[in-house]
Structure formats: structure tokens, C-alpha cells
PDB file of all heavy atoms in Angstrom:
ATOM      1  N   THR A   1      -3.247   5.427 -10.023  1.00  0.00           N
ATOM      2  CA  THR A   1      -2.632   4.146  -9.653  1.00  0.00           C
ATOM      3  C   THR A   1      -2.225   4.141  -8.183  1.00  0.00           C
ATOM      4  O   THR A   1      -2.427   3.145  -7.470  1.00  0.00           O
ATOM      5  CB  THR A   1      -1.403   3.881 -10.534  1.00  0.00           C
ATOM      6  OG1 THR A   1      -1.801   3.839 -11.905  1.00  0.00           O
ATOM      7  CG2 THR A   1      -0.728   2.571 -10.165  1.00  0.00           C
ATOM      8  N   ALA A   2      -1.658   5.261  -7.735  1.00  0.00           N
ATOM      9  CA  ALA A   2      -1.226   5.362  -6.339  1.00  0.00           C
ATOM     10  C   ALA A   2      -2.416   5.287  -5.390  1.00  0.00           C
ATOM     11  O   ALA A   2      -2.339   4.656  -4.324  1.00  0.00           O
ATOM     12  CB  ALA A   2      -0.475   6.671  -6.126  1.00  0.00           C
ATOM     13  N   LEU A   3      -3.530   5.896  -5.767  1.00  0.00           N
ATOM     14  CA  LEU A   3      -4.720   5.869  -4.922  1.00  0.00           C
ATOM     15  C   LEU A   3      -5.291   4.446  -4.845  1.00  0.00           C
ATOM     16  O   LEU A   3      -5.719   3.993  -3.779  1.00  0.00           O
ATOM     17  CB  LEU A   3      -5.775   6.830  -5.466  1.00  0.00           C
ATOM     18  CG  LEU A   3      -6.998   7.093  -4.586  1.00  0.00           C
ATOM     19  CD1 LEU A   3      -6.564   7.682  -3.250  1.00  0.00           C
ATOM     20  CD2 LEU A   3      -7.966   8.043  -5.290  1.00  0.00           C
ATOM     21  N   TRP A   4      -5.286   3.752  -5.974  1.00  0.00           N
ATOM     22  CA  TRP A   4      -5.724   2.344  -5.988  1.00  0.00           C
ATOM     23  C   TRP A   4      -4.851   1.508  -5.072  1.00  0.00           C
ATOM     24  O   TRP A   4      -5.357   0.695  -4.285  1.00  0.00           O
ATOM     25  CB  TRP A   4      -5.667   1.805  -7.418  1.00  0.00           C
ATOM     26  CG  TRP A   4      -5.689   0.319  -7.527  1.00  0.00           C
ATOM     27  CD1 TRP A   4      -4.630  -0.513  -7.799  1.00  0.00           C
ATOM     28  CD2 TRP A   4      -6.816  -0.546  -7.331  1.00  0.00           C
ATOM     29  NE1 TRP A   4      -5.022  -1.827  -7.802  1.00  0.00           N
ATOM     30  CE2 TRP A   4      -6.372  -1.890  -7.529  1.00  0.00           C
ATOM     31  CE3 TRP A   4      -8.161  -0.331  -7.028  1.00  0.00           C
ATOM     32  CZ2 TRP A   4      -7.211  -2.980  -7.418  1.00  0.00           C
ATOM     33  CZ3 TRP A   4      -9.002  -1.434  -6.921  1.00  0.00           C
ATOM     34  CH2 TRP A   4      -8.526  -2.739  -7.119  1.00  0.00           C
ATOM     35  N   TRP A   5      -3.539   1.700  -5.150  1.00  0.00           N
ATOM     36  CA  TRP A   5      -2.612   0.972  -4.289  1.00  0.00           C
ATOM     37  C   TRP A   5      -2.865   1.290  -2.821  1.00  0.00           C
ATOM     38  O   TRP A   5      -2.878   0.385  -1.967  1.00  0.00           O
ATOM     39  CB  TRP A   5      -1.176   1.335  -4.662  1.00  0.00           C
ATOM     40  CG  TRP A   5      -0.170   0.865  -3.658  1.00  0.00           C
ATOM     41  CD1 TRP A   5       0.384  -0.374  -3.569  1.00  0.00           C
ATOM     42  CD2 TRP A   5       0.369   1.627  -2.579  1.00  0.00           C
ATOM     43  NE1 TRP A   5       1.248  -0.434  -2.504  1.00  0.00           N
ATOM     44  CE2 TRP A   5       1.260   0.774  -1.881  1.00  0.00           C
ATOM     45  CE3 TRP A   5       0.206   2.945  -2.142  1.00  0.00           C
ATOM     46  CZ2 TRP A   5       1.967   1.206  -0.762  1.00  0.00           C
ATOM     47  CZ3 TRP A   5       0.900   3.372  -1.032  1.00  0.00           C
ATOM     48  CH2 TRP A   5       1.783   2.503  -0.350  1.00  0.00           C
ATOM     49  N   ALA A   6      -3.091   2.568  -2.505  1.00  0.00           N
ATOM     50  CA  ALA A   6      -3.298   2.988  -1.114  1.00  0.00           C
ATOM     51  C   ALA A   6      -4.563   2.356  -0.538  1.00  0.00           C
ATOM     52  O   ALA A   6      -4.575   1.888   0.611  1.00  0.00           O
ATOM     53  CB  ALA A   6      -3.374   4.506  -1.028  1.00  0.00           C
ATOM     54  N   ILE A   7      -5.625   2.317  -1.322  1.00  0.00           N
ATOM     55  CA  ILE A   7      -6.899   1.759  -0.835  1.00  0.00           C
ATOM     56  C   ILE A   7      -6.776   0.256  -0.612  1.00  0.00           C
ATOM     57  O   ILE A   7      -7.215  -0.270   0.423  1.00  0.00           O
ATOM     58  CB  ILE A   7      -8.037   2.068  -1.822  1.00  0.00           C
ATOM     59  CG1 ILE A   7      -8.314   3.582  -1.852  1.00  0.00           C
ATOM     60  CG2 ILE A   7      -9.310   1.315  -1.440  1.00  0.00           C
ATOM     61  CD1 ILE A   7      -9.293   4.006  -2.917  1.00  0.00           C
ATOM     62  N   THR A   8      -6.175  -0.457  -1.566  1.00  0.00           N
ATOM     63  CA  THR A   8      -6.039  -1.912  -1.414  1.00  0.00           C
ATOM     64  C   THR A   8      -5.105  -2.262  -0.259  1.00  0.00           C
ATOM     65  O   THR A   8      -5.315  -3.262   0.430  1.00  0.00           O
ATOM     66  CB  THR A   8      -5.502  -2.551  -2.709  1.00  0.00           C
ATOM     67  OG1 THR A   8      -4.253  -1.925  -3.077  1.00  0.00           O
ATOM     68  CG2 THR A   8      -6.501  -2.396  -3.839  1.00  0.00           C
ATOM     69  N   THR A   9      -4.104  -1.442  -0.029  1.00  0.00           N
ATOM     70  CA  THR A   9      -3.187  -1.695   1.088  1.00  0.00           C
ATOM     71  C   THR A   9      -3.868  -1.409   2.420  1.00  0.00           C
ATOM     72  O   THR A   9      -3.732  -2.185   3.374  1.00  0.00           O
ATOM     73  CB  THR A   9      -1.924  -0.834   0.958  1.00  0.00           C
ATOM     74  OG1 THR A   9      -1.293  -1.084  -0.306  1.00  0.00           O
ATOM     75  CG2 THR A   9      -0.931  -1.138   2.068  1.00  0.00           C
ATOM     76  N   ALA A  10      -4.596  -0.308   2.500  1.00  0.00           N
ATOM     77  CA  ALA A  10      -5.267   0.072   3.751  1.00  0.00           C
ATOM     78  C   ALA A  10      -6.349  -0.931   4.138  1.00  0.00           C
ATOM     79  O   ALA A  10      -6.588  -1.171   5.320  1.00  0.00           O
ATOM     80  CB  ALA A  10      -5.873   1.465   3.629  1.00  0.00           C
ATOM     81  N   THR A  11      -6.991  -1.533   3.133  1.00  0.00           N
ATOM     82  CA  THR A  11      -8.035  -2.522   3.416  1.00  0.00           C
ATOM     83  C   THR A  11      -7.452  -3.912   3.631  1.00  0.00           C
ATOM     84  O   THR A  11      -8.210  -4.886   3.759  1.00  0.00           O
ATOM     85  CB  THR A  11      -9.054  -2.580   2.260  1.00  0.00           C
ATOM     86  OG1 THR A  11      -8.371  -2.790   1.019  1.00  0.00           O
ATOM     87  CG2 THR A  11      -9.848  -1.283   2.168  1.00  0.00           C
ATOM     88  N   THR A  12      -6.128  -4.004   3.677  1.00  0.00           N
ATOM     89  CA  THR A  12      -5.370  -5.253   3.914  1.00  0.00           C
ATOM     90  C   THR A  12      -5.619  -6.296   2.835  1.00  0.00           C
ATOM     91  O   THR A  12      -5.403  -7.495   3.060  1.00  0.00           O
ATOM     92  CB  THR A  12      -5.703  -5.868   5.297  1.00  0.00           C
ATOM     93  OG1 THR A  12      -7.051  -6.327   5.305  1.00  0.00           O
ATOM     94  CG2 THR A  12      -5.515  -4.857   6.410  1.00  0.00           C
ATOM     95  N   ILE A  13      -6.070  -5.878   1.654  1.00  0.00           N
ATOM     96  CA  ILE A  13      -6.261  -6.810   0.532  1.00  0.00           C
ATOM     97  C   ILE A  13      -4.938  -7.031  -0.179  1.00  0.00           C
ATOM     98  O   ILE A  13      -4.452  -8.149  -0.301  1.00  0.00           O
ATOM     99  CB  ILE A  13      -7.329  -6.277  -0.443  1.00  0.00           C
ATOM    100  CG1 ILE A  13      -8.686  -6.213   0.246  1.00  0.00           C
ATOM    101  CG2 ILE A  13      -7.401  -7.173  -1.684  1.00  0.00           C
ATOM    102  CD1 ILE A  13      -9.772  -5.593  -0.593  1.00  0.00           C
ATOM    103  N   GLY A  14      -4.338  -5.926  -0.663  1.00  0.00           N
ATOM    104  CA  GLY A  14      -3.025  -6.006  -1.277  1.00  0.00           C
ATOM    105  C   GLY A  14      -2.932  -6.974  -2.434  1.00  0.00           C
ATOM    106  O   GLY A  14      -2.405  -8.073  -2.304  1.00  0.00           O
ATOM    107  N   TYR A  15      -3.452  -6.578  -3.596  1.00  0.00           N
ATOM    108  CA  TYR A  15      -3.441  -7.458  -4.762  1.00  0.00           C
ATOM    109  C   TYR A  15      -2.025  -7.771  -5.249  1.00  0.00           C
ATOM    110  O   TYR A  15      -1.782  -8.804  -5.847  1.00  0.00           O
ATOM    111  CB  TYR A  15      -4.242  -6.828  -5.897  1.00  0.00           C
ATOM    112  CG  TYR A  15      -5.732  -6.895  -5.683  1.00  0.00           C
ATOM    113  CD1 TYR A  15      -6.458  -5.758  -5.359  1.00  0.00           C
ATOM    114  CD2 TYR A  15      -6.423  -8.102  -5.786  1.00  0.00           C
ATOM    115  CE1 TYR A  15      -7.833  -5.814  -5.152  1.00  0.00           C
ATOM    116  CE2 TYR A  15      -7.786  -8.174  -5.578  1.00  0.00           C
ATOM    117  CZ  TYR A  15      -8.482  -7.027  -5.256  1.00  0.00           C
ATOM    118  OH  TYR A  15      -9.834  -7.090  -5.046  1.00  0.00           O
ATOM    119  N   GLY A  16      -1.095  -6.878  -5.019  1.00  0.00           N
ATOM    120  CA  GLY A  16       0.272  -7.100  -5.459  1.00  0.00           C
ATOM    121  C   GLY A  16       0.545  -6.650  -6.876  1.00  0.00           C
ATOM    122  O   GLY A  16       1.650  -6.856  -7.393  1.00  0.00           O
ATOM    123  N   ASP A  17      -0.472  -6.021  -7.530  1.00  0.00           N
ATOM    124  CA  ASP A  17      -0.247  -5.533  -8.890  1.00  0.00           C
ATOM    125  C   ASP A  17       0.638  -4.296  -8.903  1.00  0.00           C
ATOM    126  O   ASP A  17       1.307  -4.008  -9.888  1.00  0.00           O
ATOM    127  CB  ASP A  17      -1.586  -5.232  -9.578  1.00  0.00           C
ATOM    128  CG  ASP A  17      -2.456  -4.293  -8.755  1.00  0.00           C
ATOM    129  OD1 ASP A  17      -2.213  -4.172  -7.537  1.00  0.00           O
ATOM    130  OD2 ASP A  17      -3.367  -3.667  -9.332  1.00  0.00           O
ATOM    131  N   VAL A  18       0.639  -3.551  -7.771  1.00  0.00           N
ATOM    132  CA  VAL A  18       1.513  -2.386  -7.620  1.00  0.00           C
ATOM    133  C   VAL A  18       2.224  -2.530  -6.283  1.00  0.00           C
ATOM    134  O   VAL A  18       1.580  -2.731  -5.250  1.00  0.00           O
ATOM    135  CB  VAL A  18       0.711  -1.064  -7.635  1.00  0.00           C
ATOM    136  CG1 VAL A  18       1.652   0.122  -7.551  1.00  0.00           C
ATOM    137  CG2 VAL A  18      -0.163  -0.975  -8.886  1.00  0.00           C
ATOM    138  N   ILE A  19       3.553  -2.450  -6.298  1.00  0.00           N
ATOM    139  CA  ILE A  19       4.319  -2.617  -5.063  1.00  0.00           C
ATOM    140  C   ILE A  19       5.328  -1.478  -4.929  1.00  0.00           C
ATOM    141  O   ILE A  19       5.839  -0.970  -5.935  1.00  0.00           O
ATOM    142  CB  ILE A  19       5.052  -3.974  -5.033  1.00  0.00           C
ATOM    143  CG1 ILE A  19       5.998  -4.091  -6.231  1.00  0.00           C
ATOM    144  CG2 ILE A  19       4.064  -5.124  -4.994  1.00  0.00           C
ATOM    145  CD1 ILE A  19       6.873  -5.339  -6.190  1.00  0.00           C
ATOM    146  N   PRO A  20       5.614  -1.062  -3.690  1.00  0.00           N
ATOM    147  CA  PRO A  20       6.607   0.004  -3.483  1.00  0.00           C
ATOM    148  C   PRO A  20       8.031  -0.518  -3.635  1.00  0.00           C
ATOM    149  O   PRO A  20       8.338  -1.625  -3.202  1.00  0.00           O
ATOM    150  CB  PRO A  20       6.322   0.449  -2.046  1.00  0.00           C
ATOM    151  CG  PRO A  20       5.760  -0.760  -1.381  1.00  0.00           C
ATOM    152  CD  PRO A  20       4.979  -1.494  -2.440  1.00  0.00           C
ATOM    153  N   LYS A  21       8.871   0.300  -4.235  1.00  0.00           N
ATOM    154  CA  LYS A  21      10.265  -0.075  -4.427  1.00  0.00           C
ATOM    155  C   LYS A  21      11.226   0.907  -3.769  1.00  0.00           C
ATOM    156  O   LYS A  21      12.414   0.621  -3.652  1.00  0.00           O
ATOM    157  CB  LYS A  21      10.580  -0.168  -5.921  1.00  0.00           C
ATOM    158  CG  LYS A  21       9.742  -1.222  -6.647  1.00  0.00           C
ATOM    159  CD  LYS A  21      10.049  -1.240  -8.131  1.00  0.00           C
ATOM    160  CE  LYS A  21       9.186  -2.284  -8.860  1.00  0.00           C
ATOM    161  NZ  LYS A  21       9.426  -2.290 -10.320  1.00  0.00           N
ATOM    162  N   THR A  22      10.704   2.066  -3.363  1.00  0.00           N
ATOM    163  CA  THR A  22      11.537   3.080  -2.722  1.00  0.00           C
ATOM    164  C   THR A  22      11.271   3.091  -1.220  1.00  0.00           C
ATOM    165  O   THR A  22      10.271   2.540  -0.743  1.00  0.00           O
ATOM    166  CB  THR A  22      11.249   4.474  -3.306  1.00  0.00           C
ATOM    167  OG1 THR A  22       9.892   4.834  -2.994  1.00  0.00           O
ATOM    168  CG2 THR A  22      11.435   4.485  -4.809  1.00  0.00           C
ATOM    169  N   GLU A  23      12.174   3.747  -0.469  1.00  0.00           N
ATOM    170  CA  GLU A  23      12.006   3.821   0.979  1.00  0.00           C
ATOM    171  C   GLU A  23      10.757   4.622   1.348  1.00  0.00           C
ATOM    172  O   GLU A  23      10.040   4.273   2.289  1.00  0.00           O
ATOM    173  CB  GLU A  23      13.254   4.452   1.614  1.00  0.00           C
ATOM    174  CG  GLU A  23      14.519   3.630   1.445  1.00  0.00           C
ATOM    175  CD  GLU A  23      14.383   2.246   2.056  1.00  0.00           C
ATOM    176  OE1 GLU A  23      13.720   2.123   3.107  1.00  0.00           O
ATOM    177  OE2 GLU A  23      14.929   1.283   1.485  1.00  0.00           O
ATOM    178  N   ILE A  24      10.503   5.714   0.617  1.00  0.00           N
ATOM    179  CA  ILE A  24       9.315   6.524   0.898  1.00  0.00           C
ATOM    180  C   ILE A  24       8.048   5.715   0.633  1.00  0.00           C
ATOM    181  O   ILE A  24       7.099   5.741   1.416  1.00  0.00           O
ATOM    182  CB  ILE A  24       9.326   7.814   0.051  1.00  0.00           C
ATOM    183  CG1 ILE A  24      10.494   8.705   0.478  1.00  0.00           C
ATOM    184  CG2 ILE A  24       8.004   8.566   0.185  1.00  0.00           C
ATOM    185  CD1 ILE A  24      10.616   9.972  -0.348  1.00  0.00           C
ATOM    186  N   GLY A  25       8.041   4.969  -0.469  1.00  0.00           N
ATOM    187  CA  GLY A  25       6.884   4.141  -0.787  1.00  0.00           C
ATOM    188  C   GLY A  25       6.646   3.071   0.254  1.00  0.00           C
ATOM    189  O   GLY A  25       5.496   2.801   0.640  1.00  0.00           O
ATOM    190  N   ARG A  26       7.703   2.459   0.739  1.00  0.00           N
ATOM    191  CA  ARG A  26       7.555   1.426   1.763  1.00  0.00           C
ATOM    192  C   ARG A  26       7.096   2.039   3.084  1.00  0.00           C
ATOM    193  O   ARG A  26       6.327   1.419   3.829  1.00  0.00           O
ATOM    194  CB  ARG A  26       8.885   0.697   1.945  1.00  0.00           C
ATOM    195  CG  ARG A  26       9.236  -0.200   0.752  1.00  0.00           C
ATOM    196  CD  ARG A  26      10.654  -0.701   0.809  1.00  0.00           C
ATOM    197  NE  ARG A  26      10.969  -1.504  -0.369  1.00  0.00           N
ATOM    198  CZ  ARG A  26      12.208  -1.861  -0.714  1.00  0.00           C
ATOM    199  NH1 ARG A  26      13.238  -1.469   0.037  1.00  0.00           N
ATOM    200  NH2 ARG A  26      12.405  -2.584  -1.800  1.00  0.00           N
ATOM    201  N   GLY A  27       7.590   3.248   3.371  1.00  0.00           N
ATOM    202  CA  GLY A  27       7.126   3.939   4.574  1.00  0.00           C
ATOM    203  C   GLY A  27       5.637   4.237   4.510  1.00  0.00           C
ATOM    204  O   GLY A  27       4.909   4.067   5.493  1.00  0.00           O
ATOM    205  N   ALA A  28       5.183   4.659   3.324  1.00  0.00           N
ATOM    206  CA  ALA A  28       3.751   4.903   3.131  1.00  0.00           C
ATOM    207  C   ALA A  28       2.958   3.616   3.302  1.00  0.00           C
ATOM    208  O   ALA A  28       1.858   3.613   3.868  1.00  0.00           O
ATOM    209  CB  ALA A  28       3.507   5.509   1.748  1.00  0.00           C
ATOM    210  N   ALA A  29       3.516   2.497   2.832  1.00  0.00           N
ATOM    211  CA  ALA A  29       2.840   1.203   2.960  1.00  0.00           C
ATOM    212  C   ALA A  29       2.689   0.804   4.425  1.00  0.00           C
ATOM    213  O   ALA A  29       1.639   0.297   4.837  1.00  0.00           O
ATOM    214  CB  ALA A  29       3.615   0.135   2.202  1.00  0.00           C
ATOM    215  N   ILE A  30       3.727   1.047   5.219  1.00  0.00           N
ATOM    216  CA  ILE A  30       3.663   0.719   6.650  1.00  0.00           C
ATOM    217  C   ILE A  30       2.566   1.527   7.334  1.00  0.00           C
ATOM    218  O   ILE A  30       1.786   0.997   8.149  1.00  0.00           O
ATOM    219  CB  ILE A  30       5.023   0.978   7.314  1.00  0.00           C
ATOM    220  CG1 ILE A  30       6.074  -0.010   6.788  1.00  0.00           C
ATOM    221  CG2 ILE A  30       4.918   0.884   8.835  1.00  0.00           C
ATOM    222  CD1 ILE A  30       7.483   0.271   7.262  1.00  0.00           C
ATOM    223  N   ILE A  31       2.489   2.815   6.996  1.00  0.00           N
ATOM    224  CA  ILE A  31       1.445   3.679   7.576  1.00  0.00           C
ATOM    225  C   ILE A  31       0.057   3.138   7.239  1.00  0.00           C
ATOM    226  O   ILE A  31      -0.831   3.056   8.090  1.00  0.00           O
ATOM    227  CB  ILE A  31       1.598   5.121   7.066  1.00  0.00           C
ATOM    228  CG1 ILE A  31       2.907   5.731   7.580  1.00  0.00           C
ATOM    229  CG2 ILE A  31       0.404   5.980   7.501  1.00  0.00           C
ATOM    230  CD1 ILE A  31       3.223   7.082   6.984  1.00  0.00           C
ATOM    231  N   LEU A  32      -0.128   2.728   5.985  1.00  0.00           N
ATOM    232  CA  LEU A  32      -1.430   2.225   5.546  1.00  0.00           C
ATOM    233  C   LEU A  32      -1.763   0.881   6.200  1.00  0.00           C
ATOM    234  O   LEU A  32      -2.930   0.612   6.520  1.00  0.00           O
ATOM    235  CB  LEU A  32      -1.441   2.084   4.022  1.00  0.00           C
ATOM    236  CG  LEU A  32      -1.481   3.401   3.243  1.00  0.00           C
ATOM    237  CD1 LEU A  32      -1.292   3.152   1.767  1.00  0.00           C
ATOM    238  CD2 LEU A  32      -2.800   4.127   3.489  1.00  0.00           C
ATOM    239  N   MET A  33      -0.760   0.038   6.390  1.00  0.00           N
ATOM    240  CA  MET A  33      -1.007  -1.244   7.063  1.00  0.00           C
ATOM    241  C   MET A  33      -1.502  -1.014   8.483  1.00  0.00           C
ATOM    242  O   MET A  33      -2.475  -1.637   8.928  1.00  0.00           O
ATOM    243  CB  MET A  33       0.276  -2.077   7.085  1.00  0.00           C
ATOM    244  CG  MET A  33       0.736  -2.585   5.723  1.00  0.00           C
ATOM    245  SD  MET A  33       2.329  -3.442   5.871  1.00  0.00           S
ATOM    246  CE  MET A  33       2.924  -3.336   4.183  1.00  0.00           C
ATOM    247  N   LEU A  34      -0.818  -0.136   9.218  1.00  0.00           N
ATOM    248  CA  LEU A  34      -1.230   0.167  10.588  1.00  0.00           C
ATOM    249  C   LEU A  34      -2.611   0.806  10.616  1.00  0.00           C
ATOM    250  O   LEU A  34      -3.427   0.516  11.499  1.00  0.00           O
ATOM    251  CB  LEU A  34      -0.201   1.101  11.249  1.00  0.00           C
ATOM    252  CG  LEU A  34       1.199   0.514  11.441  1.00  0.00           C
ATOM    253  CD1 LEU A  34       2.140   1.575  11.995  1.00  0.00           C
ATOM    254  CD2 LEU A  34       1.154  -0.690  12.373  1.00  0.00           C
ATOM    255  N   LEU A  35      -2.863   1.666   9.627  1.00  0.00           N
ATOM    256  CA  LEU A  35      -4.180   2.311   9.525  1.00  0.00           C
ATOM    257  C   LEU A  35      -5.271   1.264   9.318  1.00  0.00           C
ATOM    258  O   LEU A  35      -6.323   1.309   9.968  1.00  0.00           O
ATOM    259  CB  LEU A  35      -4.181   3.302   8.367  1.00  0.00           C
ATOM    260  CG  LEU A  35      -5.518   3.981   8.062  1.00  0.00           C
ATOM    261  CD1 LEU A  35      -5.821   5.033   9.116  1.00  0.00           C
ATOM    262  CD2 LEU A  35      -5.489   4.620   6.678  1.00  0.00           C
ATOM    263  N   GLY A  36      -5.018   0.317   8.406  1.00  0.00           N
ATOM    264  CA  GLY A  36      -6.011  -0.712   8.111  1.00  0.00           C
ATOM    265  C   GLY A  36      -6.295  -1.596   9.302  1.00  0.00           C
ATOM    266  O   GLY A  36      -7.455  -1.903   9.610  1.00  0.00           O
ATOM    267  N   ILE A  37      -5.227  -1.993  10.014  1.00  0.00           N
ATOM    268  CA  ILE A  37      -5.406  -2.839  11.204  1.00  0.00           C
ATOM    269  C   ILE A  37      -6.226  -2.097  12.261  1.00  0.00           C
ATOM    270  O   ILE A  37      -7.139  -2.649  12.875  1.00  0.00           O
ATOM    271  CB  ILE A  37      -4.040  -3.262  11.770  1.00  0.00           C
ATOM    272  CG1 ILE A  37      -3.320  -4.187  10.778  1.00  0.00           C
ATOM    273  CG2 ILE A  37      -4.203  -3.950  13.120  1.00  0.00           C
ATOM    274  CD1 ILE A  37      -1.890  -4.490  11.154  1.00  0.00           C
TER     275      ILE A  37
END
């Protein structure tokens, strides 16, 4: 599930079926957003 979330976030698709709720998860999301851009 985490790998699916990481790929969809990095490709800037972000289906929203899995979302981060912790600070570490949100930090990982920021890294992936910058990576995708």
C-alpha cells in the first residue's frame, strides 16, 4: 500500500485513496512531490 501511495504521489496523480496522517508521512509526501516535479 505504501509503495502504491509513493508511486501515485511521485507521479503527481495522487488518487487520495491513501493519505498521510503523521508528520513522517507528510514529510515523505513532500519529498515525493518535489521528486515528481
Side-chain angles (χ1 to χ4, degrees):
T1 300
L3 189 60
W4 163 256
W5 168 83
I7 293 173
T8 56
T9 303
T11 53
T12 67
I13 295 175
Y15 285 107
D17 54 341
V18 183
I19 59 174
K21 299 178 181 178
T22 64
E23 296 301 324
I24 294 177
R26 289 169 182 167
I30 293 173
I31 294 173
L32 288 172
M33 292 176 201
L34 296 175
L35 175 74
I37 294 171

